Amino acid sequence: MRATLIAALLCLLLGPAHAAGLADAWEGTYWGEPASALLAHFGARATVLPQPIDFGDSYAQIVLRRVVVGGVPLIAFFQLDKATGGLKRIQLERQRHGVTPPAARAVLAALEAAYGAPDALCGVRPGPASGYQAAAERVWARDGNVIRAIFRDTTIEAFEGCLAGDPSVGPCGLTGQLLVRISPQGADAAGCPVPGRAR
């Protein structure tokens, strides 16, 4: 009986560290907070990467490795503004080998259960401008935050993923992506991206 009680307590104590939900990945944080505050908030659950990952206007060196949304494990990247060093956005990603339509549907269902129907539905058809890669987005504006779920399908028609741009080496192209971005409403429009103008 004592061993069962100890095992049950260990499951309760260790469970959240291994499978944090979406709310655990960002509630209690605030926009503009420094990396030191994020590390204090997440403690041992956070991983500090040896080298930061560049996201253009921001970088991420702090991640949560297992954030489960709709039964799908994602990695949370805490993107810090390059100019201020403060939290700019949180991006959750599915590892590329696990990006599938069922995983995307499970994540979307979990987001809809938590936040209701999305405020905007966006889509990009496959074509030259998108590298022949279809994309679908769902956008929620809630409590001063924008939550954007993005699913980009795989394609073997684009040459970007081919070794040295040579399609003769076999099927290659762009891999699928499954992202959830959380940002302050002023920093991200709560609607569909404006399509680029034809030149």
Side-chain angles (χ1 to χ4, degrees), residues 119-145:
D119 299 312
L121 305 172
C122 317
V124 175
R125 298 176 64 88
S130 66
Y132 298 97
Q133 188 172 39
E137 291 187 34
R138 304 295 183 263
V139 184
W140 293 262
R142 301 291 185 271
D143 301 321
N145 298 302

Side-chain angles (χ1 to χ4, degrees), residues 118-198:
D119 299 312
L121 305 172
C122 317
V124 175
R125 298 176 64 88
S130 66
Y132 298 97
Q133 188 172 39
E137 291 187 34
R138 304 295 183 263
V139 184
W140 293 262
R142 301 291 185 271
D143 301 321
N145 298 302
V146 174
I147 302 152
R148 184 178 299 275
I150 304 164
F151 174 62
R152 293 187 184 111
D153 205 355
T154 57
T155 176
I156 60 171
E157 296 181 61
F159 297 138
E160 286 84 351
C162 296
L163 182 64
D166 181 6
S168 67
V169 297
C172 56
L174 301 177
T175 57
Q177 289 182 297
L178 176 55
L179 313 169
V180 177
R181 289 189 184 132
I182 305 163
S183 56
Q185 199 155 0
D188 189 7
C192 296
V194 178
R197 294 183 180 173

